[in-house]
Short mmCIF file of all heavy atoms in Angstrom, two decimals:
data_model
loop_
_atom_site.label_atom_id
_atom_site.label_comp_id
_atom_site.label_asym_id
_atom_site.label_seq_id
_atom_site.Cartn_x
_atom_site.Cartn_y
_atom_site.Cartn_z
N MET A 451 12.21 -16.09 -6.29
CA MET A 451 12.00 -17.52 -6.14
C MET A 451 11.43 -17.91 -4.78
O MET A 451 11.08 -19.07 -4.57
CB MET A 451 13.31 -18.27 -6.40
CG MET A 451 13.82 -18.15 -7.83
SD MET A 451 12.55 -18.51 -9.09
CE MET A 451 12.30 -20.25 -8.79
N ARG A 452 11.31 -16.97 -3.88
CA ARG A 452 10.62 -17.26 -2.62
C ARG A 452 9.14 -17.59 -2.87
O ARG A 452 8.47 -18.19 -2.04
CB ARG A 452 10.72 -16.06 -1.67
CG ARG A 452 12.10 -15.81 -1.11
CD ARG A 452 12.17 -14.46 -0.39
NE ARG A 452 11.17 -14.37 0.66
CZ ARG A 452 11.36 -14.77 1.92
NH1 ARG A 452 12.52 -15.29 2.27
NH2 ARG A 452 10.40 -14.64 2.81
N SER A 453 8.63 -17.16 -4.04
CA SER A 453 7.23 -17.42 -4.38
C SER A 453 7.07 -18.66 -5.28
O SER A 453 6.02 -18.83 -5.91
CB SER A 453 6.63 -16.20 -5.09
OG SER A 453 6.57 -15.08 -4.23
N LYS A 454 8.08 -19.51 -5.33
CA LYS A 454 8.05 -20.65 -6.24
C LYS A 454 6.83 -21.55 -6.01
O LYS A 454 6.30 -22.14 -6.94
CB LYS A 454 9.34 -21.46 -6.09
CG LYS A 454 9.49 -22.56 -7.13
CD LYS A 454 10.92 -23.05 -7.22
CE LYS A 454 11.39 -23.68 -5.93
NZ LYS A 454 12.73 -24.32 -6.08
N SER A 455 6.40 -21.66 -4.75
CA SER A 455 5.25 -22.51 -4.45
C SER A 455 3.92 -21.83 -4.76
O SER A 455 2.86 -22.46 -4.65
CB SER A 455 5.27 -22.94 -2.97
OG SER A 455 5.18 -21.81 -2.13
N ARG A 456 3.97 -20.54 -5.16
CA ARG A 456 2.76 -19.82 -5.54
C ARG A 456 2.99 -19.24 -6.94
O ARG A 456 3.38 -18.08 -7.08
CB ARG A 456 2.46 -18.69 -4.53
CG ARG A 456 2.14 -19.19 -3.13
CD ARG A 456 1.85 -18.04 -2.17
NE ARG A 456 3.02 -17.21 -1.96
CZ ARG A 456 4.01 -17.50 -1.11
NH1 ARG A 456 3.94 -18.60 -0.38
NH2 ARG A 456 5.04 -16.70 -0.98
N PRO A 457 2.75 -20.02 -7.98
CA PRO A 457 3.12 -19.63 -9.36
C PRO A 457 2.54 -18.30 -9.80
O PRO A 457 3.23 -17.51 -10.46
CB PRO A 457 2.56 -20.79 -10.20
CG PRO A 457 2.52 -21.96 -9.27
CD PRO A 457 2.19 -21.38 -7.92
N ASP A 458 1.29 -17.99 -9.47
CA ASP A 458 0.71 -16.71 -9.89
C ASP A 458 1.44 -15.53 -9.25
O ASP A 458 1.70 -14.52 -9.90
CB ASP A 458 -0.78 -16.66 -9.51
CG ASP A 458 -1.66 -17.32 -10.56
OD1 ASP A 458 -1.08 -17.94 -11.48
OD2 ASP A 458 -2.89 -17.21 -10.46
N GLU A 459 1.76 -15.66 -7.95
CA GLU A 459 2.49 -14.60 -7.26
C GLU A 459 3.87 -14.43 -7.88
O GLU A 459 4.33 -13.31 -8.12
CB GLU A 459 2.60 -14.92 -5.77
CG GLU A 459 3.31 -13.83 -4.97
CD GLU A 459 3.37 -14.13 -3.49
OE1 GLU A 459 4.19 -15.00 -3.09
OE2 GLU A 459 2.60 -13.52 -2.72
N LEU A 460 4.55 -15.54 -8.14
CA LEU A 460 5.89 -15.49 -8.73
C LEU A 460 5.86 -14.78 -10.08
O LEU A 460 6.67 -13.90 -10.36
CB LEU A 460 6.45 -16.91 -8.87
CG LEU A 460 7.88 -17.02 -9.41
CD1 LEU A 460 8.61 -18.17 -8.74
CD2 LEU A 460 7.89 -17.24 -10.92
N LYS A 461 4.89 -15.16 -10.91
CA LYS A 461 4.82 -14.57 -12.24
C LYS A 461 4.47 -13.08 -12.17
O LYS A 461 5.01 -12.25 -12.92
CB LYS A 461 3.78 -15.32 -13.08
CG LYS A 461 3.76 -14.88 -14.54
CD LYS A 461 2.85 -15.76 -15.36
CE LYS A 461 2.90 -15.33 -16.83
NZ LYS A 461 2.00 -16.14 -17.67
N TYR A 462 3.59 -12.72 -11.24
CA TYR A 462 3.21 -11.32 -11.08
C TYR A 462 4.41 -10.47 -10.64
O TYR A 462 4.66 -9.39 -11.19
CB TYR A 462 2.07 -11.20 -10.07
CG TYR A 462 1.71 -9.78 -9.75
CD1 TYR A 462 1.01 -9.01 -10.67
CD2 TYR A 462 2.09 -9.19 -8.55
CE1 TYR A 462 0.70 -7.69 -10.40
CE2 TYR A 462 1.78 -7.87 -8.27
CZ TYR A 462 1.08 -7.13 -9.19
OH TYR A 462 0.77 -5.83 -8.94
N ILE A 463 5.14 -10.94 -9.63
CA ILE A 463 6.32 -10.22 -9.14
C ILE A 463 7.35 -10.06 -10.25
O ILE A 463 7.92 -8.98 -10.46
CB ILE A 463 6.93 -10.95 -7.93
CG1 ILE A 463 6.01 -10.81 -6.71
CG2 ILE A 463 8.32 -10.42 -7.61
CD1 ILE A 463 6.43 -11.68 -5.54
N TYR A 464 7.59 -11.15 -10.98
CA TYR A 464 8.56 -11.13 -12.08
C TYR A 464 8.16 -10.08 -13.12
O TYR A 464 8.98 -9.33 -13.63
CB TYR A 464 8.63 -12.52 -12.71
CG TYR A 464 9.65 -12.69 -13.80
CD1 TYR A 464 10.95 -13.07 -13.50
CD2 TYR A 464 9.32 -12.49 -15.14
CE1 TYR A 464 11.90 -13.25 -14.51
CE2 TYR A 464 10.24 -12.66 -16.15
CZ TYR A 464 11.53 -13.04 -15.84
OH TYR A 464 12.46 -13.22 -16.83
N GLN A 465 6.86 -10.01 -13.43
CA GLN A 465 6.38 -9.07 -14.43
C GLN A 465 6.57 -7.63 -13.98
O GLN A 465 6.96 -6.77 -14.77
CB GLN A 465 4.92 -9.33 -14.75
CG GLN A 465 4.37 -8.35 -15.79
CD GLN A 465 2.93 -8.67 -16.17
OE1 GLN A 465 2.54 -9.83 -16.17
NE2 GLN A 465 2.16 -7.65 -16.49
N ILE A 466 6.27 -7.35 -12.71
CA ILE A 466 6.46 -5.98 -12.20
C ILE A 466 7.92 -5.58 -12.30
O ILE A 466 8.27 -4.48 -12.75
CB ILE A 466 5.98 -5.88 -10.73
CG1 ILE A 466 4.46 -6.00 -10.64
CG2 ILE A 466 6.44 -4.57 -10.10
CD1 ILE A 466 3.71 -4.88 -11.34
N LEU A 467 8.82 -6.46 -11.89
CA LEU A 467 10.25 -6.16 -11.96
C LEU A 467 10.72 -5.98 -13.40
O LEU A 467 11.59 -5.16 -13.68
CB LEU A 467 11.04 -7.27 -11.28
CG LEU A 467 10.86 -7.37 -9.75
CD1 LEU A 467 11.41 -8.69 -9.22
CD2 LEU A 467 11.53 -6.21 -9.05
N GLN A 468 10.13 -6.73 -14.31
CA GLN A 468 10.55 -6.67 -15.71
C GLN A 468 10.00 -5.42 -16.42
O GLN A 468 10.71 -4.76 -17.17
CB GLN A 468 10.10 -7.93 -16.45
CG GLN A 468 10.72 -8.10 -17.83
CD GLN A 468 10.38 -9.44 -18.44
OE1 GLN A 468 9.21 -9.75 -18.67
NE2 GLN A 468 11.39 -10.27 -18.68
N THR A 469 8.75 -5.09 -16.15
CA THR A 469 8.12 -3.98 -16.87
C THR A 469 8.33 -2.63 -16.20
O THR A 469 8.49 -1.61 -16.87
CB THR A 469 6.61 -4.24 -17.03
OG1 THR A 469 6.03 -4.41 -15.73
CG2 THR A 469 6.34 -5.47 -17.86
N VAL A 470 8.33 -2.61 -14.87
CA VAL A 470 8.49 -1.35 -14.15
C VAL A 470 9.97 -1.02 -13.93
O VAL A 470 10.38 0.14 -14.02
CB VAL A 470 7.76 -1.40 -12.79
CG1 VAL A 470 8.00 -0.12 -11.99
CG2 VAL A 470 6.27 -1.62 -13.00
N GLY A 471 10.78 -2.03 -13.64
CA GLY A 471 12.17 -1.78 -13.29
C GLY A 471 13.19 -2.11 -14.35
O GLY A 471 14.40 -1.93 -14.14
N ASP A 472 12.74 -2.63 -15.52
CA ASP A 472 13.65 -3.02 -16.62
C ASP A 472 14.63 -4.11 -16.20
O ASP A 472 15.75 -4.18 -16.71
CB ASP A 472 14.43 -1.80 -17.14
CG ASP A 472 13.54 -0.79 -17.83
OD1 ASP A 472 12.54 -1.22 -18.43
OD2 ASP A 472 13.82 0.41 -17.75
N PHE A 473 14.23 -4.96 -15.24
CA PHE A 473 15.05 -6.11 -14.90
C PHE A 473 14.70 -7.29 -15.81
O PHE A 473 13.68 -7.26 -16.50
CB PHE A 473 14.83 -6.50 -13.43
CG PHE A 473 15.37 -5.48 -12.46
CD1 PHE A 473 14.52 -4.58 -11.84
CD2 PHE A 473 16.74 -5.40 -12.21
CE1 PHE A 473 15.02 -3.63 -10.96
CE2 PHE A 473 17.24 -4.45 -11.33
CZ PHE A 473 16.38 -3.56 -10.70
N PHE A 474 15.56 -8.30 -15.82
CA PHE A 474 15.37 -9.51 -16.63
C PHE A 474 15.14 -9.16 -18.10
O PHE A 474 14.10 -9.49 -18.68
CB PHE A 474 14.18 -10.34 -16.08
CG PHE A 474 14.18 -10.49 -14.59
CD1 PHE A 474 13.09 -10.08 -13.83
CD2 PHE A 474 15.30 -11.02 -13.93
CE1 PHE A 474 13.09 -10.21 -12.46
CE2 PHE A 474 15.30 -11.14 -12.55
CZ PHE A 474 14.20 -10.74 -11.82
#
Side-chain angles (χ1 to χ4, degrees):
M451 295 310 293
R452 290 170 56 88
S453 295
K454 188 163 63 172
S455 62
R456 296 180 294 278
D458 275 9
E459 182 178 75
L460 182 144
K461 187 173 182 181
Y462 175 74
I463 289 171
Y464 184 89
Q465 179 177 328
I466 291 297
L467 292 166
Q468 192 173 62
T469 58
V470 177
D472 293 328
F473 292 101
F474 315 123

